[in-house]
């Protein structure tokens, strides 16, 4: 676990440095014209979005390759931790690049500037449904990790079942114990902190010089949307993956115990008999949750104005 914790921050720092170096080529100062100012803001948002996706994919692929190299990760859970690190690396790198894009947002120029005195909170510009989904995905991931830690076998990576007074036992892995849930929780915590920082910058950045307040509001709403969709997608994929593999472990372990008990003419018990169904439901729920994360990532940002789409 320590290897993964050390790997992800170093990867994020490297990606942010690359993005900062390349960002000087496409960040432009906004000219005084209102029309060109809005165009420059739209262009900056589009480039930041494309760079975030590209570097996020690069981080995910690079982390997957590095994590599977001999000696990078140790222990029986190394393959599962490597798989978990891929979506986490994408989400962290994606959000870090968007944060950099917001920090380099084009500054207004000209002798005359116009700005409304408006207090903007952390979530004021964000779509309410996406805020709820992101919060639910992060909290859900924490709940899965907590329950996994409580229900896992002592090895922290498998689920155990016993029947007939403990004379028949079965176990299966991978299961969302601390061996897998620990790295997942640390990655989701880092992602949540980055997301909060990015949303804070979105709320506090300078307003675009325009006479149409709808354009300024839509630009800010689109930025918050892009930040939140990456976090929600990552949390859903990670949580869904943990649920899916844990459900399979519960189903496999309990099915083996039931089969052994039946072969010996013993009753496995009502609780054990229900576990294969519980495991199957959890596995399906996990797959649906992970698929929902992919769908959320593909959701387009709001338009500027509402009927004119922003490239995302």
């Amino acid at each position: 676990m320590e290897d993964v914790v050390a790997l992800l921050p170093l990867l994020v720092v490297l990606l942010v440095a690359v993005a900062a170096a390349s960002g000087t080529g496409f960040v432009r100062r906004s000219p005084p014209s209102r029309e060109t100012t809005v165009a420059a803001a739209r262009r900056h948002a589009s480039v930041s979005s494309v760079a975030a996706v590209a570097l996020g994919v690069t981080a995910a692929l690079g982390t997957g390759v590095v994590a599977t190299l001999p000696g990078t990760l140790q222990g029986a859970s190394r393959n599962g931790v490597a798989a978990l690190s891929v979506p986490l690396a994408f989400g962290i790198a994606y959000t870090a690049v968007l944060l950099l894009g917001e920090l380099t947002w084009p500054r207004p120029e000209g002798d005359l500037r116009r700005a409304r005195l408006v207090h903007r909170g952390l979530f004021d510009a964000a779509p309410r449904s996406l805020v709820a989904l992101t919060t639910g995905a992060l909290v859900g991931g924490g709940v899965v990790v907590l329950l996994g830690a409580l229900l896992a076998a002592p090895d922290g990576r498998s689920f155990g079942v016993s029947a007939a007074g403990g004379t028949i036992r079965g176990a299966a892995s991978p299961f969302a114990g601390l061996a897998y849930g620990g790295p997942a929780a640390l990655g989701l915590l880092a992602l949540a902190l980055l997301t909060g920082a990015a949303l804070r910058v979105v709320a506090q950045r300078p307003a675009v010089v325009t006479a149409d307040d709808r354009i300024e509001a839509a630009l800010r709403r689109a930025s918050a949307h892009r930040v939140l969709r990456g976090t929600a997608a990552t949390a859903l994929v990670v949580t869904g993956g943990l649920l899916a593999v844990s459900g399979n472990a519960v189903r496999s372990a309990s099915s083996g115990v039931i089969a052994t008990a039946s072969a010996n003419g013993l009753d496995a018990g009502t609780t054990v008999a229900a576990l294969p169904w519980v495991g199957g439901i959890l596995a399906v729920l996990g797959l649906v949750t992970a698929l929902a994360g992919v769908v959320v990532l593909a959701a387009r940002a709001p338009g500027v104005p509402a009927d004119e789409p922003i490239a995302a």
Side-chain angles (χ1 to χ4, degrees), residues 97-138:
V97 174
L98 287 182
L99 173 59
L100 178 65
E102 295 301 322
L103 289 172
T104 57
W105 189 260
R107 300 286 177 177
E109 287 185 348
D111 297 331
L112 179 62
R113 303 182 185 180
R114 177 180 178 271
R116 295 177 60 194
L117 297 178
V118 178
H119 172 74
R120 299 186 180 92
L122 191 65
F123 301 110
D124 287 351
R128 293 293 177 264
S129 59
L130 198 50
V131 171
L133 177 62
T134 305
T135 303
L138 290 171

Side-chain angles (χ1 to χ4, degrees), residues 38 42 212-222 300-311:
V38 173
R42 285 169 53 88
D212 191 344
D213 292 332
R214 296 180 307 157
I215 294 178
E216 161 60 23
L219 283 168
R220 211 176 290 271
R221 185 168 61 250
R300 289 182 64 85
V304 178
D307 59 346
E308 186 178 351
I310 294 178

Side-chain angles (χ1 to χ4, degrees), residues 212-264:
D212 191 344
D213 292 332
R214 296 180 307 157
I215 294 178
E216 161 60 23
L219 283 168
R220 211 176 290 271
R221 185 168 61 250
S223 292
H225 175 101
R226 281 187 286 269
V227 171
L228 288 173
R229 75 178 176 190
T231 302
T234 301
L236 287 171
V237 170
V238 171
T239 303
L242 290 174
L243 275 176
V245 298
S246 297
N248 281 330
V250 170
R251 186 173 183 274
S252 297
S254 55
S255 296
V257 168
I258 292 172
T260 303
S262 177
N264 289 275

Side-chain angles (χ1 to χ4, degrees), residues 14-24 26 51 55 96-97 100:
L14 176 61
L15 287 170
V16 171
V18 171
S22 60
T24 57
F26 53 76
L55 290 177
V97 174
L100 178 65

Side-chain angles (χ1 to χ4, degrees), residues 1-105:
M1 183 172 71
E2 290 80 7
D3 292 325
V4 174
V5 175
L7 177 62
L8 290 178
L10 289 175
L11 181 60
V12 172
V13 170
L14 176 61
L15 287 170
V16 171
V18 171
S22 60
T24 57
F26 53 76
V27 174
R28 298 287 186 270
R29 298 283 291 178
S30 300
S33 168
R34 290 175 179 175
E35 293 79 8
T36 53
T37 298
V38 173
R42 285 169 53 88
R43 184 168 56 251
H44 183 88
S46 298
V47 173
S48 296
S49 179
V50 171
V53 173
L55 290 177
V57 171
T58 301
L61 295 176
T63 300
V65 171
V66 172
T68 54
L69 292 176
T72 302
L73 297 174
Q74 304 296 329
S77 60
R78 60 184 180 276
N79 291 334
V81 173
L84 277 173
S85 68
V86 171
L88 287 171
F90 173 86
I92 291 174
Y94 173 91
T95 308
V97 174
L98 287 182
L99 173 59
L100 178 65
E102 295 301 322
L103 289 172
T104 57
W105 189 260

